[in-house]
């Protein structure tokens, strides 16, 4: 390769590496920590009521684990769901539009709470592993968590997220317009608070491929540099 092209190859390799330099392990893309127990019930049953809160991830990735805080429960089975946004409210439960991804409807998603919030023994910290969905940085989404037993309440959050952003209050639904009794298709009612949860993700597989390509470019550039230095010494 002629020497004038060396700076161009180096710049391309460096730029590619900078664009895709992301951690390979899970990282937090949204976090809103708990402050106290609320009186808002989220119940996985026909008619709910079910709670949903919005979030805008700080980074792109595929969701792998979800954590949330709330009161003790008699049942360790949970339903988790992710809605897209529709003018400040969750999109309805419509499989044709892909507006909602659910986990745990079959009762197989379980989580046991741990008391780890200093000064709040009434709060329990729950965590579950999921596979997806893929979310984009800065895009508005809505997250639902509901327990299979009645009476579980989601914990109130602090004065704003520590990772990511949110733009709306949480909502509740009793499924009054759902063909199957709901509750994931609304109607949605503002509950004038926010709830505590954390979302973790990993880079998409395509990101790993781009990272590999950038490393190959960088290796070729460094190899070319070494060859040029040997040529300079021989001259």
């Amino acid at each position: 390769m002629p020497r004038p092209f060396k700076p161009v190859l180096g710049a391309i390799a460096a730029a590619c590496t900078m664009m895709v330099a992301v951690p390979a392990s899970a990282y937090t893309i949204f976090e809103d920590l708990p402050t106290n127990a609320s009186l808002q019930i989220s119940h996985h049953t026909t008619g709910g009521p079910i709670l949903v809160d919005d979030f805008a991830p700080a980074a792109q990735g595929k969701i792998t684990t979800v954590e949330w805080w709330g009161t003790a429960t008699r049942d360790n089975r949970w339903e988790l769901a992710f809605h897209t946004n529709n003018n400040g409210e969750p999109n309805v439960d419509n499989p044709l539009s892909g507006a909602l991804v659910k986990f745990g409807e079959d009762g197989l998603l379980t989580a046991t709470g741990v008391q780890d919030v200093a000064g709040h023994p009434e709060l329990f910290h729950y965590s579950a592993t999921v596979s997806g969905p893929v979310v984009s940085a800065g895009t508005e989404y809505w997250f639902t968590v509901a327990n299979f037993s009645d009476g579980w309440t989601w914990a109130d959050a602090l004065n704003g997220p520590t990772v990511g952003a949110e733009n709306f209050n949480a909502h509740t639904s009793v499924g009054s317009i759902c063909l199957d009794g709901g509750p994931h298709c609304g109607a949605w009612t503002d509950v004038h608070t926010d709830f505590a949860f954390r979302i973790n993700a990993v880079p998409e597989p395509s990101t790993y491929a781009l990272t590999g390509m950038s490393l190959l470019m960088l290796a070729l550039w460094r190899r070319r540099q070494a060859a040029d230095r040997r040529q300079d010494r021989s001259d």
Side-chain angles (χ1 to χ4, degrees), residues 109-155:
L109 191 151
T110 61
T112 302
V114 177
Q115 293 170 291
D116 62 1
V117 182
H120 289 277
E122 80 283 5
L123 290 182
F124 288 76
H125 181 188
Y126 301 90
S127 178
T129 300
V130 297
S131 180
V134 174
V135 293
S136 299
T139 300
E140 191 75 22
Y141 301 94
W142 294 80
F143 169 64
T144 293
V145 57
N147 190 254
F148 271 61
S149 66
D150 194 12
W152 180 79
T153 63
W154 200 348

Side-chain angles (χ1 to χ4, degrees), residues 137-217:
T139 300
E140 191 75 22
Y141 301 94
W142 294 80
F143 169 64
T144 293
V145 57
N147 190 254
F148 271 61
S149 66
D150 194 12
W152 180 79
T153 63
W154 200 348
D156 286 327
L158 291 171
N159 296 323
T162 55
V163 179
E166 60 183 0
N167 301 298
F168 306 101
N169 290 326
H171 286 62
T172 186
S173 170
V174 294
S176 59
I177 64 170
C178 296
L179 296 177
D180 62 356
H184 285 282
C185 60
W188 301 105
T189 303
D190 192 329
V191 296
H192 305 291
T193 190
D194 293 305
F195 297 119
F197 62 105
R198 178 188 292 133
I199 298 176
N200 305 302
V202 295
E204 296 178 78
S206 59
T207 304
Y208 291 119
L210 287 172
T211 303
M213 182 176 67
S214 68
L215 292 175
L216 176 61
M217 295 267 307

